[in-house]
Every structure is written in structure tokens, then in C-alpha cells.
Amino acid sequence: MRIGYFLSSEEYTPAELLEQARGAERAGFEALWISDHYHPWVDAQGQSPFVWSTIGALSQVCRLPVTTAVTCPTVRIHPAVIAQAAATSAVLHEGRFVLGIGSGEALNEHIFGDAWPSADVRLEMLEESVEVIRELWKGEFTNHHGKHYTVEHARIYTRPEQPPAIYVSGFGPKSVDLAARIGDGYMSTSPDPDLVKRFRDGGGGDKPCQAGFKAAYAATEDEGARIAYERWPNAGVPGELSQVLPSPRHFEQASELVTEDMVRKAFVCGSDPDAHLEMIDKYAKAGFDEIYVANTGPHYQGLFDLYAKHVLPALRDQRR
């Protein structure tokens, strides 16, 4: 089992993300996730740098493998452009790059005024986008005239020796089935063993399964819960609202129904290593191979120290 660190583009400046990547590598984390957003979920998070610029910079400050968690290659950015961005990233990271993709949220994808497609159509677009991306990664001039995308006389010249793996996120049966059919791996944020089993039984087999959870490091659990509620009240927004609300302002309105206790349950708050180990164990028992933790708030160095001194050594002892 690999333990990684999750870089939250919604909350930190590019310089802070690079600082966290260096800190994660020094602490002993084995890989990085990085979120890909146009907007933060709520204004309190306050950032949202262009992820492909940050990924390029990451290649110059650490050697940890990087996975996008996740990119939507369907509406805001054409899959032919994502294919080029991912190929360049894989070259910069000397092959240590995975393109994690999903069907996206209106929060990030609606910005050109297009109608937000239904979930079924978004999955159909995602499948066709993967077809376009993999065809372009062959390095030949490509023409594609599909239901959702057109590519004419396009060729990607800067490519890695091996094309990047594509991992597909899924939170419901249809998206998990698609991940099993077209993905090189599966991604989620829920420690749900049924979804992992569905991916593996549906064709995923022993392909890698990645998951992530959020933490709010602080001196006490209550202080961590306060920070989490202040920065990530959207973590308690239920159902499909996260896929359909179009702006941080709308998430703030929906978050008025969320209590601090609801957010506390979604996070690991405070500085107790056993709480982190307990959360990691939930994902491990669900069947995930790689687990990534994201910190919220200003105390990320405290989380790195906690993992370097307590959490990661305890996990290594469990493996022996």
C-alpha cells in the first residue's frame, strides 16, 4: 500500500503547493495527487491556479509520482489539448505521471455558458475523450469525427516513451463500470468496498485503486474541526449538488445547511496519529492500493511532521 499526499489547488497558492510537495517528499510520502479546478468550492478556500503550470513546476522540485485528481477532459478543455498537456507532463516527470480523469462538475466546466450535460451524457463524453487522447498519444496525425469531438490533422510531437496511464474516478455504479471498462486504474474519495469490488469484478481486475481523504491538522481536534468547517463547509453538501452547482456562491448557499459536526465527520481533525491510522485502515480494508491525505488550513508542516514521526513508521511496521 502506498501513502501519498494530496495537493489542494483550491486552497493554496502555487508557491505553497510546491512547498508542500517538497515537504511531503521529505516526510516520506510516496506520491502526490493534485486537484484540477477552475474555481475553488467556496471563497474561503481562495485559490485555484492552472494545474498544468503547477504540474510542470512540480517536476523541478521533487521526484514523487503525480496523478491529477481529477481532470475533466470533456467541456472546459478539449481532450486533444489535455492529451498534449498530459504527454508533456509525463516527459517532464520522466514517466512518473498518471492522468486521473472524471466527468467533472458544473463549478469548473460551465464557464463558457454551455448547457451542463446530464450524467449519462457526461460519461459518454468522457469515454470518447479517452478514445481521442489515446489515439493522439500514438504520435501519428489524427483525425476524429465523433459524436462529441472533432480532431483534424492533429499530432503530438513531445511524448514520453510510454503513454501515461489513465485512471478513472467513479462514485456511482455507471461511472465505476466505465472505469472498469476503459481505465488503467480507479479513483475515489469514498472508502466503499462495494465500489472497489464492482471495479475489479467489472474488468478492472488487479489494476491500481487510489483514494483520498481530507485532514485538518491542528493542536486539538476541536481546532481542526473549526478550520475544516471554515475552509471546507462544502464537504457536507449532500448528493449530486457537488456536480451541478455552478459557482462558489451557490456552494456557500448550500453550505448554510451544513453544520460543523457534519464536516468534522468527513475529516480527520487534530494531531492524533491513531485517528489518521484509523482512517487509512478504512480505505485499506475497502481494497484501495494507494491512499492520499490532503491537509486543510495553515498547519501542513505539522501534518508532515506527524506522518514522518508516527503515521508512516507505524504503517511500515504493519507491513513487516
Side-chain angles (χ1 to χ4, degrees):
M1 183 175 62
R2 173 188 274 180
I3 303 297
Y5 184 72
F6 186 177
L7 297 166
S8 295
S9 300
E10 305 94 311
E11 190 175 340
Y12 298 105
T13 67
E16 288 171 326
L17 294 171
L18 299 183
E19 180 185 351
Q20 290 186 23
R22 294 189 194 96
E25 188 170 41
R26 284 195 299 267
F29 286 94
E30 298 168 282
L32 296 172
W33 264 16
I34 185 166
S35 53
D36 179 359
H37 273 234
Y38 193 86
H39 296 132
W41 297 97
V42 295
D43 279 358
Q45 292 162 9
Q47 294 290 330
S48 214
F50 188 55
V51 74
W52 297 103
S53 300
T54 308
I55 289 171
L58 286 172
S59 71
Q60 304 303 300
V61 302
C62 78
R63 294 187 59 78
L64 295 178
V66 175
T67 301
T68 52
V70 296
T71 285
C72 178
T74 61
V75 177
R76 173 168 50 99
I77 306 181
H78 193 284
V81 179
I82 294 294
Q84 185 189 25
T88 302
S89 298
V91 170
L92 282 167
H93 284 270
E94 299 178 345
R96 301 182 304 276
F97 176 79
V98 173
L99 178 61
I101 62 168
S103 58
E105 305 94 13
L107 173 70
N108 301 304
E109 307 303 324
H110 81 289
I111 58 173
F112 300 123
D114 302 308
W116 183 233
S118 67
D120 286 347
V121 173
R122 297 203 304 273
L123 290 175
E124 189 180 87
M125 296 171 74
L126 187 64
E127 182 167 5
E128 186 180 336
S129 75
V130 170
E131 181 182 345
V132 169
I133 290 168
R134 284 180 169 148
E135 192 63 30
L136 281 162
W137 282 347
K138 293 177 182 176
E140 305 296 334
F141 279 102
T142 297
N143 294 288
H144 176 93
H145 297 276
K147 183 175 180 180
H148 299 287
Y149 303 107
T150 298
V151 177
E152 289 191 348
H153 309 301
R155 181 181 180 188
I156 293 177
Y157 282 80
T158 300
R159 293 174 288 109
E161 290 186 6
Q162 297 294 327
I166 297 178
Y167 292 4
V168 181
S169 72
F171 301 97
K174 291 181 181 178
S175 57
V176 173
D177 290 347
L178 178 64
R181 193 167 71 251
I182 69 171
D184 299 312
Y186 169 60
M187 305 172 72
S188 179
T189 56
S190 172
D192 187 334
D194 293 336
L195 294 181
V196 176
K197 184 175 187 302
R198 189 178 185 101
F199 170 77
R200 297 202 185 284
D201 292 348
D206 60 356
K207 293 177 181 175
C209 291
Q210 299 182 338
F213 69 89
K214 292 194 176 298
Y217 183 89
T220 67
E221 182 180 350
D222 286 346
E223 176 64 6
R226 185 193 66 74
I227 293 171
Y229 183 58
E230 176 185 289
R231 302 284 181 98
W232 289 82
N234 55 289
V237 172
E240 297 179 17
L241 287 176
S242 293
Q243 280 74 53
V244 300
L245 295 179
S247 77
R249 177 167 53 87
H250 291 94
F251 274 93
E252 288 165 1
Q253 293 168 2
S255 296
E256 291 178 3
L257 303 173
V258 176
T259 66
E260 184 173 312
D261 279 345
M262 292 166 68
V263 176
R264 182 194 295 257
K265 291 176 182 174
F267 277 66
V268 179
C269 300
S271 56
D272 181 359
D274 289 339
H276 287 262
L277 289 166
E278 183 180 344
M279 181 66 89
I280 290 169
D281 189 56
K282 287 182 183 177
Y283 286 87
K285 287 180 176 173
F288 288 99
D289 308 294
E290 302 179 26
I291 302 165
Y292 294 76
V293 54
N295 186 70
T296 186
H299 306 305
Y300 46 83
Q301 185 56 53
L303 183 131
F304 294 149
D305 292 342
L306 178 75
Y307 271 68
K309 295 176 182 174
H310 301 290
V311 178
L312 296 177
L315 291 169
R316 284 194 286 270
D317 287 344
Q318 291 175 12
R319 293 174 190 166
R320 291 177 183 143

